[in-house]
């Protein structure tokens, strides 16, 4: 597939994978992208997952024909992109590897060698001339690992963005980009918003006509839409105002009833954007992405072993370790004799920056009563 007349797509679709990075459900598979720039010199950008070694090498041979690659640009060392470095070097022993110093240290960990006889260490702003295509490397540490860099081709105005602007899902499955890109971003890169913002400052002046990530489709239209979304996500701004996520756990159904009643009352008050997640049964990575999508969050759970119910504990940890901030939070707690869930949830979330808490908490003693309904009505008034 041609991305431009000189830039070719060398990616693969993985429909066998069950969990990406060992934890993210990917029902629509996963794409591992790789690229070749054919000029007076030939550069390959990144490799693909180890399972696709033969398929990928065959594509490389097909695209290059009799020619040999001069450079392998390694933007990111996570194995979904780096697994075939050694295989390519074995096929083309004269190839030069281009990467950051940290990437070469990681190569030693993975392959037992830093390729000292065939390495070119680059730092922020370094360039590589292929002929007509002059590449600039931009250090992007912690987007998503410390060795990451992205690559700008000034000739075709293409930005190769490593994991940034990637998404879950294979490229031969049609879906809505934003949904799986949001889940991917907040699942995998979300903790490092500050570093994504730093990258944005560096690429601000670049004219970008195409974005080539290491996962998901090549983005070639409406680039401003994608840049705006990433800017919002990485600055932890809600993607949409006036939306409310209700995330609950329920042991015997009473907390669930409360969560659903809250959703109904909010709708009756005209709140249109409400998403309810049962944390024990939903894909929690969806719930995490949604929590960052809207500006308000209500958590409903029970006290369990004098602690929070386990799925709620996990959910809150997933938020706080990703720098959850800048949101309004309300609580529904349930407990048969000594409910402390609201206190425990608040203690965990108080460490987050710029969060505010609803003054009204719904405090259920086993099952909703009239007093709880009044508490909920007060909470609804605060939220809308
Ligand atoms: Fe797609 Fe951080 O690897």
């Amino acid at each position: 597939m041609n991305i431009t007349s000189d830039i070719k797509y060398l990616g693969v679709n993985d429909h066998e994978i069950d969990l990406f990075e060992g934890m993210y459900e990917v029902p629509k598979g996963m794409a591992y992208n790789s690229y070749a720039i054919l000029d007076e010199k030939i550069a390959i950008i990144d490799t693909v997952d180890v399972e696709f070694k033969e398929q990928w090498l065959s594509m490389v041979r097909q695209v290059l024909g009799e020619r040999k690659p001069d450079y392998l640009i390694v933007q990111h060392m996570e194995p979904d992109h780096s697994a075939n470095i050694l295989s390519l070097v074995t096929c083309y022993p004269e190839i030069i590897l281009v990467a950051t110093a940290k990437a070469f240290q990681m190569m030693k960990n993975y392959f037992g060698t830093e390729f000292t006889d065939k390495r070119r260490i680059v730092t922020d702003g370094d360039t590589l001339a292929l002929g007509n295509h002059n590449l600039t490397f931009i250090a992007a540490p912690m987007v998503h690992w410390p060795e990451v860099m992205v690559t700008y081709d000034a000739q075709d105005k293409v930005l190769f963005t490593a994991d940034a602007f990637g998404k879950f899902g294979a490229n031969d499955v049609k879906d809505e980009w934003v949904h799986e890109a949001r889940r991917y971003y907040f699942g995998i890169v979300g903790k490092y918003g500050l570093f994504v913002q730093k990258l944005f400052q560096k690429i601000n002046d670049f004219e970008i006509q195409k974005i080539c990530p290491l996962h998901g489709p090549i983005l070639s239209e409406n680039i401003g839409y994608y840049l705006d979304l990433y800017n919002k996500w990485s600055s932890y701004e809600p993607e949409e105002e006036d939306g409310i996520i209700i995330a609950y756990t329920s042991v015997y159904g009473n907390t669930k009833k409360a969560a659903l009643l809250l959703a109904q009352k909010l709708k009756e008050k005209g709140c249109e954007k409400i998403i309810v997640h049962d944390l024990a049964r939903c894909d929690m990575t969806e719930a995490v992405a949604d929590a960052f999508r809207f500006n308000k969050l209500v958590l409903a759970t029970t006290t369990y072993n004098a602690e929070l119910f386990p799925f709620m504990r996990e959910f809150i940890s997933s938020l706080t370790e990703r720098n959850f901030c800048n949101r309004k939070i309300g609580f529904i707690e349930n407990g048969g004799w000594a409910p402390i869930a609201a206190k425990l949830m608040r203690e965990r979330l108080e460490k987050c920056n710029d969060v505010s808490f609803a003054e009204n908490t719904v405090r259920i003693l086993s099952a909703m009563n009239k007093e709880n309904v009044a508490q909920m009505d007060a909470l609804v008034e605060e939220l809308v």
Side-chain angles (χ1 to χ4, degrees):
M1 179 174 86
N2 286 352
I3 294 165
T4 67
S5 55
D6 295 337
I7 301 177
K8 315 290 176 186
Y9 180 71
L10 294 176
V12 297
N13 290 311
D14 185 352
H15 289 288
E16 299 301 315
I17 186 170
D18 58 346
L19 295 175
F20 181 70
E21 284 193 358
M23 67 176 282
Y24 296 96
E25 289 178 26
V26 282
K28 292 175 184 166
M30 200 67 203
Y32 313 112
N33 299 338
S34 162
Y35 304 93
I37 305 176
L38 308 188
D39 201 337
E40 289 167 29
K41 303 275 188 186
I42 293 178
I44 292 175
I45 300 184
D46 292 304
T47 79
V48 298
D49 186 85
V50 67
E51 297 295 328
F52 298 87
K53 173 184 160 186
E54 294 307 330
Q55 183 183 338
W56 181 70
L57 287 173
S58 158
M59 267 193 290
V60 170
R61 285 188 208 103
Q62 195 181 341
V63 165
L64 269 55
E66 296 299 309
R67 298 183 68 189
K68 292 180 180 174
D70 298 277
Y71 303 105
L72 171 63
I73 295 166
V74 178
Q75 299 186 115
H76 184 15
M77 275 302 295
E78 196 163 6
D80 49 336
H81 312 295
S82 69
N84 288 299
I85 291 175
L86 198 53
S87 312
L88 192 72
V89 169
T90 305
C91 290
Y92 301 102
E94 287 158 25
I95 199 167
I96 300 293
L97 306 185
V98 181
T100 61
K102 275 202 170 64
F104 283 107
Q105 288 166 11
M106 290 181 177
M107 285 182 215
K108 181 154 193 187
N109 298 338
Y110 281 111
F111 305 117
T113 173
E114 290 189 43
F115 298 100
T116 46
D117 60 331
K118 54 175 83 280
R119 74 177 175 189
R120 178 153 168 180
I121 297 173
V122 290
T123 57
D124 198 26
D126 281 357
T127 58
L128 178 69
L130 301 178
N132 291 324
H133 295 261
N134 194 31
L135 306 181
T136 303
F137 303 111
I138 303 113
M142 302 320 297
V143 185
H144 140 237
W145 279 11
E147 84 296 358
V148 172
M149 64 179 189
V150 303
T151 306
Y152 181 64
D153 172 19
Q155 173 72 18
D156 288 349
K157 304 194 171 25
V158 172
L159 186 65
F160 298 90
T161 55
D163 275 340
F165 299 95
K167 67 181 273 296
F168 296 122
N171 284 342
D172 55 0
V173 178
K174 272 199 168 177
D175 63 1
E176 189 196 15
W177 184 88
V178 67
H179 180 261
E180 286 296 67
R182 185 193 297 115
R183 191 167 70 91
Y184 177 91
Y185 175 82
F186 285 108
I188 290 173
V189 192
K191 180 178 178 61
Y192 306 111
L194 182 66
F195 294 90
V196 177
Q197 284 285 305
K198 284 184 181 170
L199 174 61
F200 263 91
Q201 286 163 14
K202 293 184 193 177
I203 62 171
N204 206 23
D205 294 334
F206 291 177
E207 184 187 345
I208 300 168
Q209 290 180 355
K210 288 183 197 294
I211 292 175
C212 291
L214 289 180
H215 302 288
I218 286 90
L219 308 174
S220 52
E221 286 173 8
N222 208 2
I223 294 294
Y225 165 77
Y226 301 105
L227 293 173
D228 282 351
L229 263 184
Y230 247 68
N231 195 22
K232 246 182 203 173
W233 292 344
S234 58
S235 57
Y236 300 97
E237 290 297 319
E239 189 181 319
E240 298 173 53
E241 300 289 341
D242 301 322
I244 303 179
I245 301 299
I246 303 171
Y248 72 90
T249 67
S250 190
V251 182
Y252 290 108
N254 289 307
T255 316
K256 176 179 181 178
K257 271 187 200 160
L260 297 181
L261 181 62
L262 176 67
Q264 183 191 321
K265 284 177 177 288
L266 288 165
K267 271 185 194 150
E268 285 165 5
K269 284 282 180 184
C271 185
E272 289 173 3
K273 297 178 207 165
I274 299 168
I275 300 176
V276 182
H277 285 290
D278 175 351
L279 296 176
R281 291 174 179 82
C282 71
D283 173 357
M284 201 174 289
T285 66
E286 295 268 1
V288 169
D290 282 336
F292 283 96
R293 179 177 169 189
F294 289 163
N295 57 341
K296 292 169 195 163
L297 171 69
V298 177
L299 301 174
T301 196
T302 48
T303 308
Y304 189 83
N305 286 338
E307 247 295 351
L308 289 176
F309 199 72
F311 295 103
M312 182 58 77
R313 239 183 288 164
E314 185 188 340
F315 182 59
I316 293 176
S317 291
S318 297
L319 297 182
T320 54
E321 71 193 38
R322 287 169 175 77
N323 301 331
F324 190 71
C325 59
N326 197 23
R327 303 290 191 280
K328 181 155 190 166
I329 305 169
F331 299 116
I332 298 173
E333 67 175 355
N334 197 347
W337 56 95
I340 53 168
K343 174 176 167 283
L344 295 175
M345 288 190 281
R346 186 174 175 135
E347 280 171 4
R348 281 166 161 83
L349 288 157
E350 269 172 347
K351 298 165 197 149
C352 300
N353 288 332
D354 296 326
V355 289
S356 62
F357 297 101
E359 286 176 15
N360 293 282
T361 292
V362 181
R363 189 169 198 255
I364 304 167
L365 292 166
S366 300
M368 287 275 288
N369 58 24
K370 276 186 188 165
E371 193 184 341
N372 295 145
V373 174
Q375 290 166 348
M376 190 174 282
D377 288 338
L379 177 61
V380 167
E381 286 303 320
E382 261 194 86
L383 292 172
V384 298

